[in-house]
Amino acid sequence: MVRPRHGVGLGDRLPRGARLSAEQLAARLRAAGCVFAEDEAALLLGSGREGVELEELVVRRLAGEPLETVLGWVVFAGRRLSVCPGVFVPRRRTELLARTAAARCGPGSVLLELCCGVGPVAATVAAGEVHLSDVDPHALDCARRNVPHGHTHLSDLYGDLPAPLRGRIDVVAANAPYVPTDHLSLMPPEAREHEPPVALDGGADGVDLHRRIAAGAPDWLAAGGALMIETSPAQVPLTVAAMRDAGLRTDVVTDEEIGGCVVSGVRSAERE
């Protein structure tokens, strides 16, 4: 979804009992800084809410809450995923991570999505055994709805994963936070004010979690298994270095159309 400027003003609440037209709603959204006001108006009016319930959604959007959490869903890789207020909303660029993971997964594969949020990768990748891990219980609630066949784990990275997974995972996919701490203030207000800092803050250079994930990966990957981490083009050398330090063979794939960038690190085919 589009992330327009907001905070311009809430506008007037609709009088009780009045009905919103698409034109009226688009005008209110446009006045609040929504760039694609007509599209957003159509989505809000198509939400199935009417009267006071619809107005509550509109006021939340005018106050700057992401449209996705107002609606309760986001489109990712052609499907709707459940999102709730206060969780990280999957971006389209993460579709590259999902495609890259899917290329190495099959019916008999074991997939782990670390820092899973609402589980966008696990929801779109076919694998025989699916695990999702995050430190945010609210995000995991959404992940359970989006990946009903998956096993969810409240865990700081590998810390509380089931021991039987060790050495069995074919693909570890992670969209871990990679925004440098001093860049958080530059992010759009929708992210800064409505998404948890733990899902955004990647430490001083943005790759603190990438290093931790890479360092632990060899113990959990199967022989020939792959770690895949979304990163930014500017941070590729740092993410690559983290994987190489862990003994993984690296590759980088990008998709300029959606702004995606993924570093992959493959475990040796023979475990040491």
Side-chain angles (χ1 to χ4, degrees), residues 39-127:
D39 292 339
E40 293 200 14
L43 288 168
L44 287 164
L45 290 171
S47 67
R49 307 288 184 86
E50 296 181 348
V52 173
E53 290 186 349
L54 174 59
E55 180 63 11
E56 289 174 351
L57 298 186
V58 173
V59 170
R60 285 168 58 190
R61 181 60 185 135
L62 294 175
E65 184 177 336
L67 178 63
E68 297 90 345
T69 59
V70 171
L71 293 172
W73 53 266
V74 61
V75 174
F76 182 87
R79 66 180 65 198
R80 285 189 181 186
L81 300 181
S82 173
V83 293
C84 66
V87 304
F88 180 81
V89 178
R91 276 57 158 173
R92 189 184 174 206
R93 60 178 172 264
T94 303
E95 292 180 8
L96 177 61
L97 179 62
R99 295 201 308 266
T100 307
R104 291 189 70 94
C105 282
S109 299
V110 178
L111 168 72
L112 168 65
E113 184 175 3
L114 281 180
C115 304
C116 69
V118 304
V121 175
T124 56
V125 174

Side-chain angles (χ1 to χ4, degrees), residues 212-224:
R212 290 179 57 200
I213 292 169
D219 288 339
W220 294 87
L221 288 172

Side-chain angles (χ1 to χ4, degrees), residues 1-271:
M1 294 295 177
V2 176
R3 304 185 176 279
R5 176 177 61 91
H6 67 267
V8 176
L10 300 184
D12 297 324
R13 284 180 177 266
L14 194 69
R16 184 176 293 275
R19 296 182 64 86
L20 270 176
S21 70
E23 293 78 12
Q24 289 172 323
L25 179 50
R28 293 173 69 190
L29 293 167
R30 194 178 303 109
C34 297
V35 178
F36 294 91
E38 288 77 10
D39 292 339
E40 293 200 14
L43 288 168
L44 287 164
L45 290 171
S47 67
R49 307 288 184 86
E50 296 181 348
V52 173
E53 290 186 349
L54 174 59
E55 180 63 11
E56 289 174 351
L57 298 186
V58 173
V59 170
R60 285 168 58 190
R61 181 60 185 135
L62 294 175
E65 184 177 336
L67 178 63
E68 297 90 345
T69 59
V70 171
L71 293 172
W73 53 266
V74 61
V75 174
F76 182 87
R79 66 180 65 198
R80 285 189 181 186
L81 300 181
S82 173
V83 293
C84 66
V87 304
F88 180 81
V89 178
R91 276 57 158 173
R92 189 184 174 206
R93 60 178 172 264
T94 303
E95 292 180 8
L96 177 61
L97 179 62
R99 295 201 308 266
T100 307
R104 291 189 70 94
C105 282
S109 299
V110 178
L111 168 72
L112 168 65
E113 184 175 3
L114 281 180
C115 304
C116 69
V118 304
V121 175
T124 56
V125 174
E129 186 177 337
V130 177
H131 295 264
L132 305 95
S133 170
D134 203 285
V135 297
D136 183 353
H138 300 295
L140 285 177
D141 286 342
C142 293
R144 291 185 187 98
R145 292 193 290 272
N146 295 326
V147 194
H149 58 287
H151 306 275
T152 57
H153 310 284
L154 185 64
S155 176
D156 180 7
L157 303 184
Y158 309 101
D160 291 309
L161 293 181
L165 273 181
R166 191 179 296 271
R168 293 185 50 243
I169 303 172
D170 297 295
V171 173
V172 174
N175 178 19
Y178 54 90
V179 179
T181 301
D182 61 2
H183 290 187
L184 293 176
S185 62
L186 306 177
M187 297 190 71
E190 284 188 342
R192 285 189 285 106
E193 298 172 7
H194 295 277
E195 294 181 323
V198 70
L200 304 172
D201 191 346
D205 61 4
V207 296
D208 280 1
L209 268 77
H210 294 188
R211 295 187 181 95
R212 290 179 57 200
I213 292 169
D219 288 339
W220 294 87
L221 288 172
L227 168 64
M228 301 174 181
I229 299 180
E230 178 179 311
T231 191
S232 73
Q235 291 163 310
V236 161
L238 298 174
T239 305
V240 166
M243 291 197 186
R244 288 180 176 168
D245 287 346
L248 304 177
R249 186 177 72 254
T250 61
D251 187 33
V252 180
V253 59
T254 61
D255 184 332
E256 294 183 2
E257 181 181 352
I258 62 173
C261 182
V262 173
V263 176
S264 297
V266 178
R267 180 75 167 80
S268 170
E270 295 184 2
R271 297 192 63 83

